Amino acid sequence: MAGGITLTVNGKSRTVQAPQDTPLVHVLRNELGLKGTRFGCGANQCGACHVLLDGHSVPACDTPLWAAAGKHVVTVEGLAAPERPHRLQRALIEEQAGQCGFCLSGILVSAAALLEHNAAPTEAEVRAALDRHLCRCGAHNRIVRAVLRAATEAA
Amino acid sequence: MSAAEAKLPGNLQANRRLSQWVRIEPAGTVAVTPGKVEIGQGILTALAQIAAEELDVGLARIRMVPATTAASPNEGVTSGSLSIQDSGAAIRQACAETRAIYLAEAAAELGVAVDALRVEDGEIIAANGRRTSYWALADDALLDREATGQVAPKPPAAHRTVGRSAPRLDLPDKVLGRPRFIHDIELPGMLHGRVVRPASRGARLVTVDEAAARALPGVVAVVRDGSFLGVLAEHEAQAIKAAETLAARARWDERDTLPDRGALAQWLRTAERETTVIEERASDARAARTFSATYTRPYTAHASIGLSCALAHWTARDALTVWTHSQGIYNLRADLALALKLPPARITVQHAEGAGCYGHNPADDVALDAALLARAAGGRPVRAQWSREDELAWDPLGPAMVVDVSAGLDAEGRIVQWTLENYSNGHSSRPGRADQPTLLAAWHLAEPFPVLPAINPPMPAGGQQRNAVPLYDFPGRRIACHRVLEMPLRTSALRALGAFANVYAIETFMDELAAAAGKDPVEYRLLHLADPRGRAVIEAAARRAGWSGRRKTEGRGFGIGFAKYKNLGTYCAVVAEVEAEREIRVRRLTIAADVGLVVNPDGAANQIEGGAVQAASWTLKEAVPFDRRRVTIAAWEDYPILRFSEVPAVDVELLNRPEERAVGVGEGAQGPTAGAIGNAVFDALGVRVRDLPITPERIVAAMG
């Protein structure tokens, strides 16, 4: 790991000194202090830790650091500037779409990826895009409404 | 009546000093310090609304302070849908009295009568135009006194903040990905801890080769105390790897301790037990026909999306601070004190938000793990977190239940005799209620604590007794509960406790009886229910769902379920519409609920909707698998829950009852939802699935 591994996180170039097989979720949370990416299972089965890797929504728990080398990572913190939240973030608040909120970071990332390639998804398309994300509180329908609402708003 | 004798509302009765609840701060804010905690249900927002209402300040001025044993009132456990009743009532009264005290101060300062004053967002304004404010008058000494109970809170008609759908205070942090959860706390010098749980239930650690784990980079210590095994490392990924390494090199003495899953109902009926008759009422009414049926529900996991996590810091050899997402900070402290053999006063337990817990999940257990591991940390703080596998497999499960119901109908089809008997383990292993700890690691120490069988909270709320008594007007009735005293799989409180299976049984059986009597299910319920609020929610749900105009089509069915939670709280009726294809799809849940005075309509609807979706997941999918030694869940794939593409549409109508006492909403919908789905499945397919969950295999089996 001499010299570390360099990747771009939320638009900034970062060099990380960590073993190259370290799961990206630990690098983001513990090395780079980006706590918005949640750790839920460590096995790519719950969706809580999704981030954008070169625009694709991937589980950061199942992505080793080496696989992110030289790539662009966007976390929930990087979806928009804090002073002007992403339309999806605004829509989640407008719809009060959450209870405990632990699943929301990963869902936001996958929803952002969806809207990037499908500007006007149907409800069924939204559900399909979010199907790998588990929510235990039962906030699904509100979340789906929020994504549909965001799709109608300017980016 | 003197202040010391006055009966005060809610938890103000036991925590009588105003300063325990509220503080006016010179900076223009009000600190409100409940002992109840946020578990994703939105309680802090509702309590803040109540405080803002009584004080006449904007909601933005309320600062909700996380609970800590160092300062907060002891409000027991945040459970049982009691926070609005118990904490809300206390905060309402405390804030009403705070307002009165500050108005008296203002009147003296301004030289006017109290009734010449009004409050606008904390500004205190006299009729003659002179003014001061809470903030200008802020003085902690003013609230350093007991409440008197002599100040009347506002009448509902005067409410401006209560009754409004205030947005959740915690949601922006969660949506923006800001550090908010306990998992996000980083203490200076913090180490990461992981525990290696026994290979199976009842397993004892024989030997473990620690050398390979100790040799890994970053490993600071391997901790072993009997069969409690864990590791400390500098980085989280190192701790995980070291725990895996240790686990692979541990030898356990294992034996069969679990019942035969295929004969679970039989085991529950025959295990050693304690029987309690809840209600027995004889009636002379003669039954013309009798019916009976048995319903079961399996062990069910809390299955939080977040992992249980805690931080522990020994600040001296005999002084400990713990950060936890437990539902009961004082209860946890009591059990930590027992397990660690420390006086409770030497332990500070500080709440930090976790993911939703849905009852007693491993949140308390991980706090003891962290404290035990931190003993080897040389004074550094330790962050411990469970693995997903342990979170599901070592969860204090919602107990499996068997419910036997029988009824006698008179010649007109009216129910004149009713019996219900159920069998299950107790529904609470919560900490802080016995002279032995109930925390998991305490059982595995070299000097282990005994495994106590789970208990049932007393009636009228009850555990497995919860909602065992039907609200319907049956003249002859006998209700009895058999609490199983062997506990091979640890059980505790899962949202709604016994109400889920009891209401499923009652409401499904009601439909079976309605069919036998040749009556419509809604009409049949109303025939047996005098309670006007109960009738109103059934009628509202039926109307909203278009019950009377529903059209029977192939493979589609409608069903209704109803209960008054604990027979004390929320009235809830649910109409389910299902489609039977390869598997059961719940298309829509139409819900009517009466929660008394509604503090936050959207928050209440959100809780009801979420509870219904979770109950649909329990009803259709969930059962904890196990063999004779262990729960056989390694990952989510072994314990599927309802996904986005499977979640039904949910439509909630809240009946407005501002004159009635506000009650909690988090657990009202679960039983009625299960009953409605079961009945809709019958309507669609003509088969009764009496064993949950209603899987395709169970449907095939029921078709026989």
Side-chain angles (χ1 to χ4, degrees):
Chain A
M1 71 186 204
I5 287 176
T6 300
L7 61 163
T8 304
V9 180
N10 296 336
K12 282 190 204 140
S13 176
R14 309 293 294 256
T15 299
V16 179
Q17 306 292 335
Q20 61 173 4
D21 62 348
T22 306
L24 183 60
V25 64
H26 296 307
V27 172
L28 294 170
R29 290 181 53 84
N30 299 337
E31 309 302 320
L32 303 179
L34 294 166
K35 302 291 190 185
T37 303
R38 317 295 185 196
F39 184 93
C41 74
N44 182 17
Q45 290 194 3
C46 76
C49 68
H50 274 232
V51 297
L52 294 178
L53 187 67
D54 282 352
H56 299 285
S57 179
V58 301
C61 73
D62 205 26
T63 303
L65 175 57
W66 61 261
K71 296 193 173 167
H72 286 263
V73 175
V74 177
T75 70
V76 66
E77 294 97 333
L79 286 178
E83 62 279 5
R84 185 175 157 68
H86 191 278
R87 57 185 164 143
L88 280 162
Q89 293 169 318
R90 298 195 307 266
L92 282 172
I93 289 173
E94 281 155 9
E95 294 287 344
Q96 290 289 291
Q99 286 185 27
C100 87
F102 202 86
C103 63
L104 291 178
S105 296
I107 286 171
L108 275 160
V109 165
S110 284
L114 170 69
L115 295 188
E116 273 302 308
H117 72 258
N118 182 352
T122 64
E123 178 176 337
E125 286 169 338
V126 172
R127 288 184 189 272
L130 300 183
D131 226 24
R132 56 186 169 170
H133 295 272
L134 299 179
C135 162
R136 185 57 161 166
C137 296
H140 309 73
N141 292 333
R142 287 169 178 253
I143 292 167
V144 170
R145 281 203 298 275
V147 175
L148 291 170
R149 174 196 275 249
T152 67
E153 288 173 6
Chain B
M1 195 189 277
S2 77
E5 290 165 311
K7 172 85 174 84
L8 298 173
N11 288 333
L12 197 57
Q13 172 69 10
N15 301 274
R16 303 174 73 90
R17 299 198 81 76
L18 295 174
S19 54
Q20 289 178 283
W21 297 93
V22 57
R23 177 169 185 262
I24 303 292
E25 300 177 316
T29 50
V30 180
V32 178
T33 55
K36 296 289 184 182
V37 300
E38 181 64 48
I39 49 176
Q41 82 284 44
I43 191 62
L44 294 187
T45 305
L47 296 178
Q49 285 180 263
I50 291 171
E53 183 66 69
E54 293 301 331
L55 288 165
D56 281 319
V57 301
L59 193 55
R61 292 191 184 274
I62 304 292
R63 196 167 67 80
M64 299 303 290
V65 180
T68 168
T69 58
S72 307
N74 183 350
E75 292 203 79
V77 182
T78 303
S79 65
S81 300
L82 291 170
S83 299
I84 288 289
Q85 281 111 298
D86 293 348
S87 193
I91 288 170
R92 177 179 295 118
Q93 183 66 28
C95 289
E97 296 201 16
T98 296
R99 182 181 188 275
I101 288 166
Y102 273 85
L103 284 191
E105 284 296 301
E109 180 171 307
L110 301 178
V112 299
V114 167
D115 58 13
L117 296 172
R118 68 178 199 280
V119 183
E120 285 179 13
D121 194 22
E123 293 290 310
I124 304 172
I125 305 158
N128 63 12
R130 298 193 59 195
R131 58 170 60 207
T132 179
S133 69
Y134 290 147
W135 334 118
L137 297 170
D139 179 358
D140 291 346
L142 289 174
L143 300 184
D144 189 15
R145 65 175 78 168
E146 285 199 2
T148 63
Q150 301 297 306
V151 179
K154 283 187 190 174
H159 285 168
R160 287 181 296 176
T161 305
V162 165
R164 197 168 59 79
S165 289
R168 284 273 294 268
L169 300 176
D170 51 335
L171 199 55
D173 281 356
K174 293 168 175 178
V175 162
L176 297 172
R178 292 183 188 135
R180 169 135 198 149
F181 293 108
I182 187 167
H183 314 82
D184 307 332
I185 297 173
E186 281 197 25
L187 298 172
M190 178 174 91
L191 292 171
H192 291 271
R194 287 293 185 280
V195 170
V196 178
R197 295 255 98 95
S200 58
R201 306 286 165 138
R204 282 180 31 254
L205 183 57
V206 182
T207 58
V208 56
D209 174 7
E210 301 176 9
R214 286 186 192 280
L216 289 171
V219 172
V220 173
V222 171
V223 178
R224 182 181 172 186
D225 183 343
S227 293
F228 176 82
L229 183 63
V231 64
L232 289 174
E234 294 287 348
H235 294 283
E236 191 169 12
Q238 293 169 335
I240 293 169
K241 195 169 283 183
E244 287 166 0
T245 303
L246 263 186
R249 288 163 179 75
R251 272 213 314 118
W252 303 87
D253 177 22
E254 298 185 68
R255 57 204 168 86
D256 291 353
T257 59
L258 304 185
D260 176 2
R261 190 183 173 208
L264 190 57
Q266 182 62 17
W267 175 75
L268 286 167
R269 287 180 192 283
T270 53
E272 188 192 349
R273 65 189 192 226
E274 169 196 87
T275 296
T276 310
V277 176
I278 307 298
E279 188 179 13
E280 187 145 34
R281 200 164 72 199
S283 162
D284 295 336
R286 292 282 292 277
R289 291 185 290 167
T290 59
F291 299 85
S292 64
T294 293
Y295 303 87
T296 67
R297 87 136 186 200
Y299 290 105
T300 311
H302 294 86
S304 176
I305 302 300
L307 296 167
S308 290
C309 179
L311 296 92
H313 187 199
W314 291 90
T315 52
R317 200 183 51 76
D318 65 343
L320 175 69
T321 299
V322 167
W323 288 258
T324 177
H325 54 112
S326 166
Q327 290 173 275
I329 53 171
Y330 285 93
N331 293 54
L332 172 59
R333 184 173 74 163
D335 267 26
L336 287 173
L338 291 168
L340 298 167
K341 301 186 166 72
L342 273 182
R346 301 298 293 160
I347 305 174
T348 300
V349 177
Q350 168 77 47
H351 187 265
E353 287 173 27
C357 59
Y358 325 109
H360 177 206
N361 77 344
D364 293 287
D365 296 323
V366 72
L368 178 58
D369 293 346
L372 290 169
L373 294 174
R375 277 178 163 165
R380 294 169 71 177
V382 166
R383 175 187 184 276
Q385 185 169 294
W386 278 28
S387 67
R388 170 52 55 192
E389 179 176 0
D390 290 346
E391 187 80 26
L392 291 166
W394 286 91
D395 181 44
L397 303 169
M401 275 178 87
V402 170
V403 188
D404 292 330
V405 202
S406 64
L409 272 55
D410 68 13
E412 281 75 51
R414 286 184 74 107
I415 300 165
V416 290
Q417 303 286 351
W418 176 277
T419 68
L420 183 151
E421 298 203 22
N422 66 29
Y423 301 79
S424 84
N425 272 121
H427 285 243
S428 177
S429 295
R430 286 193 186 276
R433 291 176 179 170
D435 56 4
Q436 305 283 349
T438 63
L439 304 170
L440 181 62
W443 301 350
H444 300 145
L445 300 175
E447 287 179 43
F449 288 88
V451 177
L452 302 178
I455 59 160
N456 284 312
M459 288 295 278
Q464 78 184 86
Q465 320 94 305
R466 189 167 293 179
N467 282 90
V469 176
L471 199 67
Y472 299 110
D473 311 314
F474 306 142
R477 40 215 274 164
R478 177 187 153 81
I479 317 293
C481 296
H482 307 279
R483 179 172 68 105
V484 173
L485 299 175
E486 301 165 32
M487 193 173 64
L489 280 169
R490 179 178 180 228
T491 62
S492 195
L494 173 67
R495 208 170 177 191
L497 282 69
F500 178 69
N502 288 327
V503 172
Y504 179 68
I506 293 169
E507 287 301 301
T508 312
F509 198 51
M510 280 299 279
D511 257 43
E512 300 197 34
L513 298 175
K519 299 263 194 330
D520 173 80
V522 168
E523 183 195 326
Y524 197 63
R525 282 169 174 77
L526 295 175
L527 183 67
H528 292 92
L529 187 63
D531 186 316
R533 293 173 69 185
R535 295 178 66 89
V537 295
I538 291 173
E539 286 165 347
R543 188 169 53 241
R544 203 171 172 91
W547 180 267
S548 56
R550 69 193 188 283
R551 284 207 7 257
K552 181 81 191 85
T553 53
E554 176 75 25
R556 228 175 163 86
F558 289 80
I560 187 159
F562 160 76
K564 177 185 185 185
Y565 186 53
K566 298 180 187 173
N567 293 338
L568 294 170
T570 292
Y571 290 86
C572 182
V574 179
V575 172
E577 183 182 350
V578 307
E579 221 169 81
E581 301 165 336
R582 196 180 60 76
E583 55 190 7
I584 298 296
R585 303 288 298 237
V586 181
R587 289 298 175 196
R588 175 173 292 272
L589 297 170
T590 305
I591 305 177
D594 169 357
V595 304
L597 169 80
V598 185
V599 176
N600 183 323
D602 187 63
N606 199 357
Q607 276 289 291
I608 291 166
E609 175 178 338
V613 169
Q614 192 173 80
S617 183
W618 296 347
T619 304
L620 295 179
K621 290 189 169 256
E622 297 183 34
V624 170
F626 57 94
D627 59 22
R628 299 309 292 263
R629 291 191 170 173
R630 63 180 68 75
V631 171
T632 52
I633 303 179
W636 277 112
E637 63 192 345
D638 304 315
Y639 192 80
I641 63 173
L642 215 59
R643 290 178 179 272
F644 270 91
S645 59
E646 302 168 313
V647 164
V650 183
D651 176 33
V652 180
E653 175 179 342
L654 291 175
L655 277 62
N656 188 23
R657 301 264 190 201
E659 73 286 1
E660 298 286 351
R661 187 173 67 110
V663 296
V665 299
E667 296 166 292
Q670 282 81 347
T673 298
I677 292 172
N679 292 332
V681 169
F682 177 79
D683 190 42
L685 296 175
V687 293
R688 283 287 165 195
V689 181
R690 299 192 179 94
D691 299 306
L692 294 175
I694 306 174
T695 58
E697 298 75 31
R698 288 269 165 77
I699 291 170
V700 169
M703 284 172 164

